[in-house]
Amino acid sequence: MLHLGKYDFFTNDSGGIETYLTTLTQNLQYSVIQRVLVFSHKADTITEKRLNHVDITMLPVHFVLGTSPASYYLLFYLNQIINSFKPDIIHAHMPGLMPLFMILSLKKRGFIVNWHADVDGTAVAQNIAYPIYRLLEQKLLSNADAVIVTSPHYLYSSRSLRRWKKKCHIIPIGINYPFNKADTTLSSSQDLLRKDSRLPEEIKSFIGNKRIVLSVGRMAYYKGYPFLIEAMDRLLRRGCSGIDDCLLVIAGEGRELIKLKRKVDEMRLQKNILLPGRISESVKHDLLSVAEIFCMPSIDRAEAFGISLLEAMAHKKPIITTHVNGSGMNYINIHGRTGLTVPPSDSRSLANAILFLLRHQDVAKLMGINGFHRMKAQFSSIFNAGRIFELYQSTIQKNSQISSIH
């Protein structure tokens, strides 16, 4: 199998697609021979890496169109790797530019599209080059043997997939659980202050013994973090009891980070809100272990799913999400059972939801437990990999039958 991804998982631009691709390939590494082709800002030339039994090729990023990276080496190397590796199936992770360069090669092998998110309907679609992208995107979908969609909500609201519903298979994203024991060593804010804690001093000294509202994600326009910052400001200005010992931590790297830090400074919230940038997996799990609430305030369908929600549920945390029509967030979070759902772009509703969970700890704890059981039942990475492996097998079998007929 040849996977066509977006960014290398180890760069600052990595997000949900990169996390998913890494988890999937590692879960399939003993069942399938795989290669992965991605882009990396850290690569000056074509770079090879091996992660356990999976070979990863990274192309340097020479330019970015919309939010999609591209390289001058892409067309030549893509054809080279297809001809030398001879994959039974090409598994393309969309959106992105890379799969669009291989439309002419698709008739020779099986082709599966993993539809992570639409471009249509997002801010990126305002780009002058979008009509060309859409034309190629639809040609790609017409050639696909199957399309993987991560939630029914996203499938039935997608204009891009409207013509191709018969090809679509709903296979939710999953996470690896149980976690590595090294990622789940903490159980209270006191543990964060231990001398052997893995937290950077900046985070450790900021948190102290206070309660934490947490969000983790790439700093992109659609994440809605300005509204979460404004929600925290509302609670502090109202002087609500239960909020005076609470802090907000928003962790992640991306283009919007500088703007968000400036907003925190302008609102004089430096003592209440921390944006530490990119954090390691171990630090993320440390924070998830002790957080009271996990919040995802996204404002756009570009938030197609939300892997970090599953990680918070695995740590038995109540979650707050926004009701963005068509987003997989609505599939993951069941309002009143695993957490709370509020309107997007609404700092007042976000503030009220945070305050409710902080004041009603028994309800919050029950939601966290419900979310944990839902995550285990519906969102296992092993379940996801198994379904995709079955799709690989059926695609190969179907193409073999067609070839024998011809």
Side-chain angles (χ1 to χ4, degrees), residues 323-337:
H323 190 85
V324 175
N325 288 333
S327 172
M329 292 187 295
N330 307 325
Y331 180 55
I332 296 171
N333 187 17
I334 301 175
H335 179 71
R337 183 179 171 194

Side-chain angles (χ1 to χ4, degrees), residues 128-200:
I128 193 171
Y130 175 69
I132 299 174
Y133 178 92
R134 177 171 172 78
L135 183 67
L136 294 173
E137 169 197 86
Q138 291 298 302
K139 178 64 175 175
L140 198 74
L141 288 167
S142 72
N143 287 331
D145 292 289
V147 180
I148 298 170
V149 189
T150 56
S151 75
H153 297 67
Y154 211 84
L155 171 59
Y156 294 118
S157 63
S158 172
R159 290 181 294 185
S160 297
L161 296 178
R162 189 172 294 164
R163 294 173 57 194
W164 316 109
K165 285 182 181 178
K166 291 183 179 180
K167 292 185 178 184
C168 291
H169 302 256
I170 298 170
I171 305 179
I173 292 174
I175 60 170
N176 286 332
Y177 185 86
F179 297 123
N180 187 317
K181 288 184 179 179
D183 289 334
T184 55
T185 58
L186 305 181
S187 59
S188 70
S189 58
Q190 288 288 342
D191 290 334
L192 289 173
L193 305 179
R194 292 188 323 220
K195 290 183 179 180
D196 62 342
S197 169
R198 297 164 298 188
L199 287 183

